[in-house]
Amino acid sequence: MSQQGKINVAVENIFPLIKKFLYSDHEIFLRELVSNATDATLKLQHLARIGEAGVELGVKLGDQKIEIKIDKEAKTLHIIDQGLGMSEEEVQKYINEIAFSGAEEFLEKYKDTAKDSGIIGHFGLGFYSAFMVASQVEILTKSFKDTPAVHWTCDGSPNYTLEPGTKEDFGTEIILHISEEDSEFLEESRITELLNKYNKFMPVPIKFGTKTETLEKPEDAKEEDAAPTQEVDNIINNPTPAWTKQPADLEEKDYNSFYRELYPMQFEEPLFHIHLNVDYPFNLTGILYFPKMTQDLNVQKDRIQLYQNQVYVTDNVEGIVPEFLTMLRGVIDSPDIPLNVSRSYLQADGAVKKISSYITRKVADKLKSLFNEDRKGFEEKWNDIKIVIEYGMLSEDKFFEKADKFALYPTVDGSYYLWEELIEKIKPAQTDKDGKTVVLYTSNKETQHSYIAAAKSKGYDVLLLDSPIISHLMQKLESSKENVSFVRVDADHADNLVKKEEEQISKLSDEEKETLQKAITETIADSGYTVQVEAMSSDAAPFMITQPEFMRRMKEMQASGGGGGMMGFGNMPDMYNLVVNGNHDLVQSIFTEKDETKKAGLIQQGVDLAKLSQGLLKGEKLTDFVNRSYGLIK
């Protein structure tokens, strides 16, 4: 017998509210309805497994599937499951009362933040999310307990109809009469896109239409005979993705094929993976992949996908995964991460903090074991992964401590050292008169070549440190390691990079140095350069341009962002020292030259050569230099 009823609504206009809620996110209705269908199927499988289903299942246990159908003529979308189903009493209880009050509570909680993109996932609207896209919703359901089938209809007002149904098999079919403005959800391509986005790894097979499969030709077939084909269910999901399996059951090829499943447009294999699997004190499974990295920190983010019980939630895992690891790829699945909360709440949540530090620890342990197992292979991958490791050392203290066991410091000659190995290697030659170990480095082997050569001629080792955040990392290393300072090879002349007790004997008196310094300053007439006349070995370059380490590093730190540096340094012009070697024959000749024009010409030529070696000679000044040089060799 048909009965009419009115859902007990506290807010008369809840349906228009659902319609308006998250207008840009209406697509989540399909995720919510397929999730409900999955729950109903898994619960029935569980009851049957423990002998409490009390029925002979018409389908083999575990073979149940969810089916999605589109009927374009009727303008309906169908979600059909072979799960628990419902009796009339259960429809009253779950649909008219529990699901409805859940939707009411959800809307009440989020009515002010509906447009707040800070809320993760917008889970919880459940069954009533159907009214985001449908003008009328029908439920055809029959309980596995073999009670009569039920047919529930609601037209998006608090009024519903409940009558006996004709459904013969247990399970539930939900029919959405798609509203005019949401007709996109009657397009196969749109539904395929949503199923791929939200339900690609749901634990129950999801059928959406059929596809043609080519079979093998029979042995006696002729060459010109076409291969036989058959129509099979188009199952759009993988119900048992790699992260739900035990690491012992997976091989390298399984991890790589899952990577391609996640990122079909990625043609490069990942460098390595980390399998996460923990059930205490929280539940977390997942696989993280290290892809080949570029130097650009911003390009990499938002590639890790967050799932909850195999349902896709978001690819913005900020606040769940430590920031430096957002450059990785892969999947994290945890029922313990709260959804429908703002990101600021998430970052303060105790369980999430534990998850975050667990992931950091697992990544550090994996890097350490990769290094220990195959140091050569790890060194070869260093350039592709260093940006993540350096960023991690900078932003996470616990990771910084662990990194001593795998973070590498490469030299310009292609050797790689751990921190302790490096210090042991350079300490004898590169300890200054104050007992500080000076770590020399270059950020560019090509442009700083002459400085590298000068440092190496003194027996010094030079590191190649060229990532965009390296200035910040040096600050941290200097403040956390004892008696260490980093100096770029062009920060001073080679004799002065590691300041020793012994001093070079000067061929010029202090007064002569002052006279020469004044003459050069007046000739170059450039306030960006501070002229210093110094006593250096006579085979060192006559003119050299250096950039004071402190000033340059502060500017770099401000330019690369991420804090650090000192306010105001970013806007200051580049400052250079023009170091003049008073002991060099050319400088001696300049000092004794009586012809002022010739003297100025020699100074200008020498300074321009020094600028040229640093890539600082540009535009008109470069043209003048080239023309002047041709004049000299005529």
Side-chain angles (χ1 to χ4, degrees):
M1 190 186 93
S2 169
Q3 57 164 295
Q4 310 289 313
K6 192 168 185 175
I7 299 169
N8 180 18
V9 192
V11 194
E12 192 64 35
N13 63 352
I14 185 169
F15 286 94
L17 266 180
I18 290 172
K19 199 82 177 148
K20 261 190 267 176
F21 181 73
L22 280 176
Y23 191 74
S24 62
D25 237 355
H26 273 185
E27 61 179 48
I28 64 166
F29 82 91
L30 192 60
R31 176 195 69 192
E32 296 282 296
L33 297 179
V34 174
S35 295
N36 285 352
T38 303
D39 283 348
T41 308
L42 294 176
K43 279 175 182 159
L44 182 59
Q45 287 179 4
H46 176 68
L47 290 175
R49 218 175 280 120
I50 61 172
E52 285 185 22
V55 304
E56 193 56 49
L57 297 184
V59 280
K60 193 167 146 228
L61 183 61
D63 280 356
Q64 292 113 306
K65 54 180 161 287
I66 293 161
E67 185 170 6
I68 315 292
K69 283 181 179 171
I70 293 172
D71 184 335
K72 280 199 171 177
E73 276 181 35
K75 296 186 178 170
T76 54
L77 180 68
H78 304 243
I79 294 103
I80 306 156
D81 71 54
Q82 298 166 317
L84 292 166
M86 288 179 283
S87 63
E88 182 184 325
E89 210 177 294
E90 286 168 327
V91 170
Q92 286 280 21
K93 181 180 172 186
Y94 291 116
I95 300 296
N96 295 347
E97 291 168 26
I98 294 174
F100 199 84
S101 63
E104 257 189 323
E105 194 184 310
F106 179 87
L107 285 169
E108 183 55 35
K109 187 173 175 186
Y110 297 114
K111 66 173 193 256
D112 300 325
T113 55
K115 292 185 176 58
D116 174 11
S117 59
I119 303 294
I120 297 176
H122 299 285
F123 277 75
L125 199 46
F127 167 73
Y128 280 89
S129 61
F131 289 97
M132 285 176 156
V133 299
S135 52
Q136 183 185 0
V137 178
E138 297 178 66
I139 301 176
L140 313 177
T141 186
K142 179 176 165 66
S143 170
F144 75 98
K145 293 173 184 163
D146 218 19
T147 53
V150 185
H151 183 186
W152 178 93
T153 312
C154 179
D155 62 358
S157 73
N159 304 311
Y160 67 87
T161 306
L162 194 58
E163 55 193 355
T166 53
K167 188 167 169 51
E168 290 177 10
D169 302 321
F170 60 83
T172 299
E173 177 173 358
I174 292 173
I175 304 171
L176 309 184
H177 296 261
I178 301 293
S179 23
E180 208 62 53
E181 66 268 29
D182 287 297
S183 58
E184 64 185 281
F185 298 113
L186 292 169
E187 298 300 325
E188 267 185 41
S189 58
R190 183 73 171 114
I191 295 301
T192 301
E193 178 198 338
L194 292 184
L195 291 171
N196 273 323
K197 178 175 177 180
Y198 292 110
N199 309 103
K200 193 175 180 177
F201 300 113
M202 294 283 276
V204 175
I206 299 166
K207 175 186 174 185
F208 184 46
T210 58
K211 62 181 177 183
T212 306
E213 231 175 43
T214 305
L215 303 171
E216 278 193 24
K217 286 186 186 184
E219 278 182 21
D220 56 352
K222 293 180 182 146
E223 205 174 309
E224 63 272 16
D225 291 351
T229 59
Q230 66 176 14
E231 286 297 298
V232 294
D233 288 350
N234 179 30
I235 301 296
I236 62 94
N237 61 324
N238 170 2
T240 54
W243 85 81
T244 61
K245 299 172 182 172
Q246 287 300 316
D249 300 334
L250 295 164
E251 293 176 15
E252 194 65 28
K253 64 176 182 0
D254 301 316
Y255 286 109
N256 286 347
S257 71
F258 179 57
Y259 182 75
R260 282 190 293 277
E261 215 175 322
L262 284 174
Y263 309 104
M265 301 313 290
Q266 274 298 318
F267 302 112
E268 281 190 329
E269 295 281 321
L271 296 169
F272 49 84
H273 63 267
I274 296 164
H275 199 129
L276 307 166
N277 195 346
V278 65
D279 52 20
Y280 181 81
F282 46 80
N283 276 293
L284 175 82
T285 52
I287 299 169
L288 294 179
Y289 292 93
F290 267 74
K292 274 193 168 184
M293 298 288 171
T294 68
Q295 294 279 46
D296 186 347
L297 289 168
N298 300 313
V299 171
Q300 325 271 354
K301 297 187 176 182
D302 294 345
R303 298 290 183 82
I304 295 177
Q305 301 173 7
L306 174 67
Y307 286 75
Q308 192 164 74
N309 297 323
Q310 293 175 240
V311 182
Y312 174 79
V313 180
T314 179
D315 61 3
N316 180 347
V317 292
E318 190 187 330
I320 299 161
V321 169
E323 195 185 348
F324 77 101
L325 293 176
T326 56
M327 292 185 277
L328 303 189
R329 294 185 185 152
V331 169
I332 284 171
D333 189 333
S334 174
D336 293 332
I337 293 169
L339 305 173
N340 295 327
V341 295
S342 68
R343 294 202 176 270
S344 54
Y345 174 89
L346 197 66
Q347 281 159 357
D349 182 79
V352 174
K353 277 184 176 167
K354 280 185 187 145
I355 287 172
S356 180
S357 58
Y358 164 77
I359 294 170
T360 301
R361 194 176 75 244
K362 280 292 284 187
V363 170
D365 291 347
K366 175 73 175 188
L367 289 165
K368 183 182 167 188
S369 70
L370 283 166
F371 175 80
N372 290 340
E373 286 160 20
D374 178 10
R375 175 165 183 160
K376 192 171 185 305
F378 193 84
E379 288 176 357
E380 283 164 4
K381 292 187 179 96
W382 178 253
N383 264 344
D384 296 317
I385 60 173
K386 66 183 178 192
I387 194 85
V388 180
I389 294 172
E390 289 169 354
Y391 192 8
M393 290 169 73
L394 199 55
S395 55
E396 298 277 329
D397 287 339
K398 286 206 169 93
F399 188 81
F400 180 82
E401 288 161 25
K402 287 177 172 280
D404 273 353
K405 300 283 184 263
F406 53 77
L408 293 174
Y409 299 86
T411 70
V412 289
D413 301 318
S415 301
Y416 291 83
Y417 297 103
L418 292 174
W419 180 259
E420 278 184 13
E421 296 169 346
L422 173 71
I423 297 304
E424 197 177 318
K425 171 88 167 55
I426 66 172
K427 203 167 189 159
Q430 289 170 226
T431 299
D432 69 11
K433 59 185 170 59
D434 301 318
K436 247 190 185 176
T437 304
V438 179
V439 182
L440 297 176
Y441 71 98
T442 176
S443 55
N444 189 313
K445 279 204 301 192
E446 299 303 314
T447 59
Q448 292 156 21
H449 183 272
S450 61
Y451 299 90
I452 296 167
K456 284 173 72 175
S457 73
K458 298 192 77 67
Y460 297 156
D461 285 280
V462 179
L463 299 184
L464 174 60
L465 303 176
D466 58 1
S467 69
I469 52 171
I470 202 70
S471 303
H472 296 270
L473 184 56
M474 284 174 200
Q475 288 295 103
K476 183 156 185 172
L477 286 161
E478 285 174 344
S479 61
S480 60
K481 306 287 185 189
E482 276 185 24
N483 268 341
V484 168
S485 68
F486 282 80
V487 176
R488 201 167 82 178
V489 283
D490 62 347
D492 212 327
H493 61 85
D495 289 350
N496 244 3
L497 286 171
V498 182
K499 292 184 174 67
K500 303 285 189 183
E501 292 289 359
E502 68 269 12
E503 284 189 18
Q504 285 282 346
I505 295 165
S506 177
K507 291 181 182 177
L508 298 174
S509 67
D510 288 350
E511 205 176 310
E512 288 169 331
K513 281 184 188 172
E514 211 175 302
T515 307
L516 182 60
Q517 190 244 2
K518 201 169 166 215
I520 295 171
T521 304
E522 284 168 5
T523 303
I524 64 169
D526 188 337
S527 59
Y529 291 85
T530 304
V531 179
Q532 297 172 343
V533 180
E534 304 219 357
M536 294 153 62
S537 55
S538 54
D539 57 356
F543 292 93
M544 183 184 278
I545 288 164
T546 64
Q547 258 190 302
E549 178 74 19
F550 176 76
M551 299 282 284
R552 194 208 74 249
R553 203 192 297 179
M554 290 301 130
K555 274 179 70 82
E556 282 174 357
M557 285 168 72
Q558 267 206 296
S560 65
M566 290 192 184
M567 291 311 290
F569 272 91
N571 303 321
M572 285 180 71
D574 285 324
M575 300 298 291
Y576 297 98
N577 291 334
L578 172 60
V579 182
V580 181
N581 180 1
N583 289 352
H584 195 281
D585 291 348
L586 173 63
V587 175
Q588 293 281 311
S589 303
I590 289 170
F591 181 67
T592 54
E593 180 59 58
K594 298 285 183 273
D595 182 331
E596 291 301 320
T597 310
K598 196 174 175 191
K599 187 179 210 164
L602 286 168
I603 291 171
Q604 197 60 62
Q605 189 71 2
V607 172
D608 283 353
L609 280 165
K611 284 185 181 178
L612 192 65
S613 77
Q614 266 282 50
L616 293 168
L617 203 57
K618 295 185 174 78
E620 190 183 344
K621 289 188 171 170
L622 180 57
T623 309
D624 290 347
F625 169 76
V626 172
N627 293 335
R628 190 186 331 119
S629 298
Y630 280 137
L632 291 172
I633 57 174
K634 267 181 186 172

